[in-house]
Amino acid sequence: QVQLVESGGGLVQAGGSLRLSCVASGSIASIFGMGWYRQAPGKERELVASTTRGGGTNYGDSVKGRFTISRDNAKNTVYLQMNSLKPEDTAVYYCNARVLITATFAIRDFWGQGTQVIVSS
């Protein structure tokens, strides 16, 4: 089994910054893509940013130029640096990882429990 644990959410004023972290642990042979998604009340979950094991990145249009995703493969950790936050960034942020599981060598997607980000105006 694989667990993803997010941290770093909280309350911040518009224009401020937050840094989210997500650590993966468990039966991990390798992690392929890692990413952050978010879901605001009444809205569908959407991609915020993703990164490949080799460091390639992809961002949602609404966060380009403000958010930066990075990862530390040795620590099985992905980060999301969020700058110039806006009230519309308020959401629960979820970490996602595509994992090659030891023993079975199955590839599965896992999700964290989510961390709340609230941006006040």
Side-chain angles (χ1 to χ4, degrees), residues 4-29:
L4 301 182
V5 179
E6 301 112 331
S7 61
L11 174 64
V12 64
Q13 288 189 333
S17 298
L18 283 174
R19 188 189 194 214
L20 306 183
S21 299
C22 172
V23 180
S25 63
S27 304
I28 298 170

PDB file of all heavy atoms in Angstrom, residues 4-29:
ATOM      1  N   LEU A   4      -0.024   8.976   0.617  1.00  0.00           N
ATOM      2  CA  LEU A   4       0.425  10.332   0.278  1.00  0.00           C
ATOM      3  C   LEU A   4      -0.062  11.257   1.383  1.00  0.00           C
ATOM      4  O   LEU A   4      -1.267  11.264   1.703  1.00  0.00           O
ATOM      5  CB  LEU A   4      -0.153  10.781  -1.064  1.00  0.00           C
ATOM      6  CG  LEU A   4       0.170   9.927  -2.295  1.00  0.00           C
ATOM      7  CD1 LEU A   4      -0.458  10.552  -3.534  1.00  0.00           C
ATOM      8  CD2 LEU A   4       1.661   9.781  -2.482  1.00  0.00           C
ATOM      9  N   VAL A   5       0.836  12.029   1.946  1.00  0.00           N
ATOM     10  CA  VAL A   5       0.488  12.943   3.027  1.00  0.00           C
ATOM     11  C   VAL A   5       0.865  14.352   2.635  1.00  0.00           C
ATOM     12  O   VAL A   5       2.051  14.649   2.415  1.00  0.00           O
ATOM     13  CB  VAL A   5       1.183  12.555   4.344  1.00  0.00           C
ATOM     14  CG1 VAL A   5       0.817  13.549   5.440  1.00  0.00           C
ATOM     15  CG2 VAL A   5       0.795  11.137   4.757  1.00  0.00           C
ATOM     16  N   GLU A   6      -0.151  15.216   2.551  1.00  0.00           N
ATOM     17  CA  GLU A   6       0.076  16.616   2.186  1.00  0.00           C
ATOM     18  C   GLU A   6       0.226  17.462   3.443  1.00  0.00           C
ATOM     19  O   GLU A   6      -0.305  17.130   4.503  1.00  0.00           O
ATOM     20  CB  GLU A   6      -1.097  17.167   1.366  1.00  0.00           C
ATOM     21  CG  GLU A   6      -1.382  16.437   0.076  1.00  0.00           C
ATOM     22  CD  GLU A   6      -2.694  15.703   0.103  1.00  0.00           C
ATOM     23  OE1 GLU A   6      -3.101  15.298   1.208  1.00  0.00           O
ATOM     24  OE2 GLU A   6      -3.307  15.523  -0.967  1.00  0.00           O
ATOM     25  N   SER A   7       0.895  18.577   3.300  1.00  0.00           N
ATOM     26  CA  SER A   7       1.011  19.559   4.369  1.00  0.00           C
ATOM     27  C   SER A   7       1.254  20.928   3.754  1.00  0.00           C
ATOM     28  O   SER A   7       1.604  21.035   2.577  1.00  0.00           O
ATOM     29  CB  SER A   7       2.147  19.192   5.324  1.00  0.00           C
ATOM     30  OG  SER A   7       3.379  19.173   4.647  1.00  0.00           O
ATOM     31  N   GLY A   8       1.053  21.975   4.564  1.00  0.00           N
ATOM     32  CA  GLY A   8       1.377  23.314   4.123  1.00  0.00           C
ATOM     33  C   GLY A   8       0.195  24.201   3.798  1.00  0.00           C
ATOM     34  O   GLY A   8       0.372  25.392   3.509  1.00  0.00           O
ATOM     35  N   GLY A   9      -1.006  23.651   3.831  1.00  0.00           N
ATOM     36  CA  GLY A   9      -2.168  24.488   3.555  1.00  0.00           C
ATOM     37  C   GLY A   9      -2.447  25.441   4.702  1.00  0.00           C
ATOM     38  O   GLY A   9      -1.813  25.386   5.757  1.00  0.00           O
ATOM     39  N   GLY A  10      -3.399  26.337   4.477  1.00  0.00           N
ATOM     40  CA  GLY A  10      -3.749  27.275   5.527  1.00  0.00           C
ATOM     41  C   GLY A  10      -4.475  28.478   4.981  1.00  0.00           C
ATOM     42  O   GLY A  10      -4.958  28.482   3.847  1.00  0.00           O
ATOM     43  N   LEU A  11      -4.533  29.506   5.819  1.00  0.00           N
ATOM     44  CA  LEU A  11      -5.207  30.758   5.480  1.00  0.00           C
ATOM     45  C   LEU A  11      -4.167  31.820   5.159  1.00  0.00           C
ATOM     46  O   LEU A  11      -3.212  32.010   5.933  1.00  0.00           O
ATOM     47  CB  LEU A  11      -6.073  31.204   6.649  1.00  0.00           C
ATOM     48  CG  LEU A  11      -6.749  32.568   6.546  1.00  0.00           C
ATOM     49  CD1 LEU A  11      -7.753  32.594   5.400  1.00  0.00           C
ATOM     50  CD2 LEU A  11      -7.424  32.928   7.865  1.00  0.00           C
ATOM     51  N   VAL A  12      -4.348  32.502   4.046  1.00  0.00           N
ATOM     52  CA  VAL A  12      -3.400  33.533   3.632  1.00  0.00           C
ATOM     53  C   VAL A  12      -4.166  34.662   2.957  1.00  0.00           C
ATOM     54  O   VAL A  12      -5.230  34.437   2.373  1.00  0.00           O
ATOM     55  CB  VAL A  12      -2.335  32.938   2.685  1.00  0.00           C
ATOM     56  CG1 VAL A  12      -2.976  32.450   1.387  1.00  0.00           C
ATOM     57  CG2 VAL A  12      -1.209  33.918   2.414  1.00  0.00           C
ATOM     58  N   GLN A  13      -3.629  35.854   3.046  1.00  0.00           N
ATOM     59  CA  GLN A  13      -4.258  36.989   2.376  1.00  0.00           C
ATOM     60  C   GLN A  13      -3.922  36.984   0.889  1.00  0.00           C
ATOM     61  O   GLN A  13      -2.880  36.446   0.471  1.00  0.00           O
ATOM     62  CB  GLN A  13      -3.780  38.293   3.007  1.00  0.00           C
ATOM     63  CG  GLN A  13      -4.357  38.549   4.397  1.00  0.00           C
ATOM     64  CD  GLN A  13      -4.032  39.937   4.907  1.00  0.00           C
ATOM     65  OE1 GLN A  13      -3.023  40.528   4.521  1.00  0.00           O
ATOM     66  NE2 GLN A  13      -4.868  40.459   5.780  1.00  0.00           N
ATOM     67  N   ALA A  14      -4.781  37.602   0.117  1.00  0.00           N
ATOM     68  CA  ALA A  14      -4.530  37.731  -1.314  1.00  0.00           C
ATOM     69  C   ALA A  14      -3.175  38.400  -1.539  1.00  0.00           C
ATOM     70  O   ALA A  14      -2.820  39.358  -0.838  1.00  0.00           O
ATOM     71  CB  ALA A  14      -5.640  38.540  -1.970  1.00  0.00           C
ATOM     72  N   GLY A  15      -2.444  37.861  -2.500  1.00  0.00           N
ATOM     73  CA  GLY A  15      -1.107  38.352  -2.775  1.00  0.00           C
ATOM     74  C   GLY A  15      -0.015  37.617  -2.033  1.00  0.00           C
ATOM     75  O   GLY A  15       1.173  37.790  -2.324  1.00  0.00           O
ATOM     76  N   GLY A  16      -0.401  36.801  -1.073  1.00  0.00           N
ATOM     77  CA  GLY A  16       0.560  36.069  -0.267  1.00  0.00           C
ATOM     78  C   GLY A  16       1.013  34.784  -0.929  1.00  0.00           C
ATOM     79  O   GLY A  16       0.663  34.491  -2.075  1.00  0.00           O
ATOM     80  N   SER A  17       1.788  34.010  -0.169  1.00  0.00           N
ATOM     81  CA  SER A  17       2.374  32.776  -0.686  1.00  0.00           C
ATOM     82  C   SER A  17       2.168  31.633   0.300  1.00  0.00           C
ATOM     83  O   SER A  17       2.071  31.847   1.512  1.00  0.00           O
ATOM     84  CB  SER A  17       3.880  32.961  -0.923  1.00  0.00           C
ATOM     85  OG  SER A  17       4.132  33.958  -1.886  1.00  0.00           O
ATOM     86  N   LEU A  18       2.130  30.446  -0.253  1.00  0.00           N
ATOM     87  CA  LEU A  18       2.116  29.217   0.533  1.00  0.00           C
ATOM     88  C   LEU A  18       2.936  28.176  -0.212  1.00  0.00           C
ATOM     89  O   LEU A  18       3.034  28.228  -1.445  1.00  0.00           O
ATOM     90  CB  LEU A  18       0.698  28.675   0.731  1.00  0.00           C
ATOM     91  CG  LEU A  18      -0.210  29.341   1.759  1.00  0.00           C
ATOM     92  CD1 LEU A  18      -1.604  28.731   1.671  1.00  0.00           C
ATOM     93  CD2 LEU A  18       0.342  29.197   3.161  1.00  0.00           C
ATOM     94  N   ARG A  19       3.479  27.224   0.534  1.00  0.00           N
ATOM     95  CA  ARG A  19       4.203  26.112  -0.073  1.00  0.00           C
ATOM     96  C   ARG A  19       3.604  24.809   0.437  1.00  0.00           C
ATOM     97  O   ARG A  19       3.608  24.544   1.633  1.00  0.00           O
ATOM     98  CB  ARG A  19       5.684  26.167   0.271  1.00  0.00           C
ATOM     99  CG  ARG A  19       6.524  25.143  -0.499  1.00  0.00           C
ATOM    100  CD  ARG A  19       7.913  25.083   0.023  1.00  0.00           C
ATOM    101  NE  ARG A  19       8.824  24.380  -0.880  1.00  0.00           N
ATOM    102  CZ  ARG A  19       9.850  23.637  -0.457  1.00  0.00           C
ATOM    103  NH1 ARG A  19      10.090  23.508   0.837  1.00  0.00           N
ATOM    104  NH2 ARG A  19      10.626  23.044  -1.339  1.00  0.00           N
ATOM    105  N   LEU A  20       3.098  24.033  -0.490  1.00  0.00           N
ATOM    106  CA  LEU A  20       2.542  22.720  -0.159  1.00  0.00           C
ATOM    107  C   LEU A  20       3.600  21.644  -0.374  1.00  0.00           C
ATOM    108  O   LEU A  20       4.421  21.742  -1.289  1.00  0.00           O
ATOM    109  CB  LEU A  20       1.326  22.410  -1.023  1.00  0.00           C
ATOM    110  CG  LEU A  20       0.185  23.437  -1.028  1.00  0.00           C
ATOM    111  CD1 LEU A  20      -0.970  22.915  -1.890  1.00  0.00           C
ATOM    112  CD2 LEU A  20      -0.276  23.753   0.365  1.00  0.00           C
ATOM    113  N   SER A  21       3.531  20.623   0.472  1.00  0.00           N
ATOM    114  CA  SER A  21       4.414  19.468   0.337  1.00  0.00           C
ATOM    115  C   SER A  21       3.580  18.199   0.351  1.00  0.00           C
ATOM    116  O   SER A  21       2.530  18.147   0.995  1.00  0.00           O
ATOM    117  CB  SER A  21       5.420  19.419   1.485  1.00  0.00           C
ATOM    118  OG  SER A  21       6.232  20.566   1.510  1.00  0.00           O
ATOM    119  N   CYS A  22       4.064  17.182  -0.336  1.00  0.00           N
ATOM    120  CA  CYS A  22       3.394  15.886  -0.347  1.00  0.00           C
ATOM    121  C   CYS A  22       4.470  14.808  -0.349  1.00  0.00           C
ATOM    122  O   CYS A  22       5.301  14.768  -1.255  1.00  0.00           O
ATOM    123  CB  CYS A  22       2.500  15.754  -1.570  1.00  0.00           C
ATOM    124  SG  CYS A  22       1.811  14.104  -1.812  1.00  0.00           S
ATOM    125  N   VAL A  23       4.409  13.956   0.666  1.00  0.00           N
ATOM    126  CA  VAL A  23       5.379  12.873   0.795  1.00  0.00           C
ATOM    127  C   VAL A  23       4.679  11.545   0.546  1.00  0.00           C
ATOM    128  O   VAL A  23       3.630  11.264   1.145  1.00  0.00           O
ATOM    129  CB  VAL A  23       6.014  12.859   2.195  1.00  0.00           C
ATOM    130  CG1 VAL A  23       7.024  11.733   2.295  1.00  0.00           C
ATOM    131  CG2 VAL A  23       6.666  14.197   2.492  1.00  0.00           C
ATOM    132  N   ALA A  24       5.265  10.747  -0.320  1.00  0.00           N
ATOM    133  CA  ALA A  24       4.741   9.412  -0.608  1.00  0.00           C
ATOM    134  C   ALA A  24       5.561   8.372   0.149  1.00  0.00           C
ATOM    135  O   ALA A  24       6.783   8.473   0.227  1.00  0.00           O
ATOM    136  CB  ALA A  24       4.798   9.128  -2.101  1.00  0.00           C
ATOM    137  N   SER A  25       4.866   7.383   0.705  1.00  0.00           N
ATOM    138  CA  SER A  25       5.555   6.323   1.431  1.00  0.00           C
ATOM    139  C   SER A  25       4.812   5.010   1.243  1.00  0.00           C
ATOM    140  O   SER A  25       3.648   4.992   0.833  1.00  0.00           O
ATOM    141  CB  SER A  25       5.640   6.668   2.923  1.00  0.00           C
ATOM    142  OG  SER A  25       4.343   6.755   3.490  1.00  0.00           O
ATOM    143  N   GLY A  26       5.513   3.918   1.529  1.00  0.00           N
ATOM    144  CA  GLY A  26       4.887   2.607   1.411  1.00  0.00           C
ATOM    145  C   GLY A  26       5.618   1.730   0.421  1.00  0.00           C
ATOM    146  O   GLY A  26       6.828   1.826   0.248  1.00  0.00           O
ATOM    147  N   SER A  27       4.872   0.888  -0.264  1.00  0.00           N
ATOM    148  CA  SER A  27       5.427  -0.120  -1.165  1.00  0.00           C
ATOM    149  C   SER A  27       5.737   0.483  -2.538  1.00  0.00           C
ATOM    150  O   SER A  27       5.109   0.155  -3.539  1.00  0.00           O
ATOM    151  CB  SER A  27       4.460  -1.286  -1.294  1.00  0.00           C
ATOM    152  OG  SER A  27       4.159  -1.839  -0.028  1.00  0.00           O
ATOM    153  N   ILE A  28       6.751   1.339  -2.563  1.00  0.00           N
ATOM    154  CA  ILE A  28       7.074   2.107  -3.770  1.00  0.00           C
ATOM    155  C   ILE A  28       8.344   1.577  -4.414  1.00  0.00           C
ATOM    156  O   ILE A  28       9.402   1.602  -3.808  1.00  0.00           O
ATOM    157  CB  ILE A  28       7.253   3.598  -3.423  1.00  0.00           C
ATOM    158  CG1 ILE A  28       5.959   4.173  -2.851  1.00  0.00           C
ATOM    159  CG2 ILE A  28       7.698   4.379  -4.660  1.00  0.00           C
ATOM    160  CD1 ILE A  28       6.126   5.569  -2.270  1.00  0.00           C
ATOM    161  N   ALA A  29       8.201   1.115  -5.659  1.00  0.00           N
ATOM    162  CA  ALA A  29       9.382   0.758  -6.442  1.00  0.00           C
ATOM    163  C   ALA A  29       9.882   1.975  -7.199  1.00  0.00           C
ATOM    164  O   ALA A  29      11.081   2.207  -7.317  1.00  0.00           O
ATOM    165  CB  ALA A  29       9.060  -0.372  -7.409  1.00  0.00           C
TER     166      ALA A  29
END
